Amino acid sequence: MAILLTEQPTADGLYSAYLPVKFVATEAANPAYLEFELKTSAGASIPNVPKYRALKVNNTYTFDASNYLKSILNVFTTQGFSTTAIEELTDLYGKYEVEVTDPINGVTALTSNEFYAFANIDGLRYLNDETANDGITRKVFLYSSELQGQSSNNNFAFKLQGEYDRVVLFAQSPTVNIETYGVDKPNNGSLITQFARISISSYTNKLISVPLNRTFLQANALKPPVGATLSKYRGFRVKDGTTQNVMYYYSHDKCNLKEFCFINRYGVKENIKFETYDYESVKTSSESYLVGGYTHTGNTNYFNTSANNVKVNQSIVEDYEVRGNFFTSRHKGELQDFVSSPLQWVVDNGEIRPINVLDGSFKLVDKSRGIDFNFKYRYAQTKPSFK
């Protein structure tokens, strides 16, 4: 007697927890049920995740791990936003396996293939849900949210350099490759001035977030063969050592650049920059009453001319607006992810502060100069009110 898995994720496959992640088992003794336990790739049990008891249906036993995965993937944090260190995102995504046991007959347990799981929140469906394997296999780099960004030469839409730039990837190569330029807006025809590498060899087969801000690059992007640090440069591009996918980062000297962070459709932390002035509106509302308006001497009442009106139930709402930004059509998916993200932050003096992008209709209008895009937001932390 032995347990067999007739359907399971492919080895090291990349799966969305928001689509079925299916296991189908058989067992010659045909017991009334088999038990499936979701574990880490190291074979460890996961706290507060119970075993699933699958009843026999047509002599097979079926387990869909997606609901279990969704319950343990925690994307609603600021983990993955470090600007100073590479972060392993094991507890946000992670690599898993499933152990199948027959507690009735005591048959030797069977362990499935190991697979990656991540939080895809875009709601995409596919012709064959049973595969559950998402379009992330076409991407590998997760730092840009737009699915259509990849072209025939493996280029994604460019980004403006900011404090929270990063690449999130499955580490299949020992390095992340950096190539610098002496121009602000490099392209495939621009002259490369320096080659450098960020070592990720200690994170093989793990999902990691690698900062790409200039301070981090200066300390960690080293030029072979002697490991020298980068000298002066303007724009740069990052290249994945396995897929050769690349993204260009443009240099931007203007002071009116506003940077935001958000959770994109993959549940991955991403940043986006807008060239905009600060448009701020303040709205207050309150009620008031007269303190000590009347007084008396003996039985004589009279009006107190020094009485003051005092505000009560006062509230203050500050709204901010980003106006008139133009993006290329390749950024449309990124903009859609930003306004629909479950969490957004604004970079304020190097720190990220939670905000709410205000609800509304966002018109992504393609014009001759690009996509016209405007939005309003307010800080998630409210000002104190006087009651």
Side-chain angles (χ1 to χ4, degrees), residues 136-155:
I136 194 173
T137 55
R138 294 175 281 132
K139 193 172 184 63
V140 182
F141 270 178
L142 299 182
Y143 55 81
S144 173
S145 63
E146 69 180 275
L147 283 170
Q148 304 303 320
Q150 189 170 2
S151 63
S152 58
N153 59 3
N154 294 342
N155 285 353

Side-chain angles (χ1 to χ4, degrees), residues 93 118-121 134 139 142 144-145 147 264-268:
Y93 304 87
F118 62 97
N120 184 311
I121 56 178
D134 188 76
K139 193 172 184 63
L142 299 182
S144 173
S145 63
L147 283 170
N264 68 23
R265 71 185 67 188
Y266 301 112
V268 172

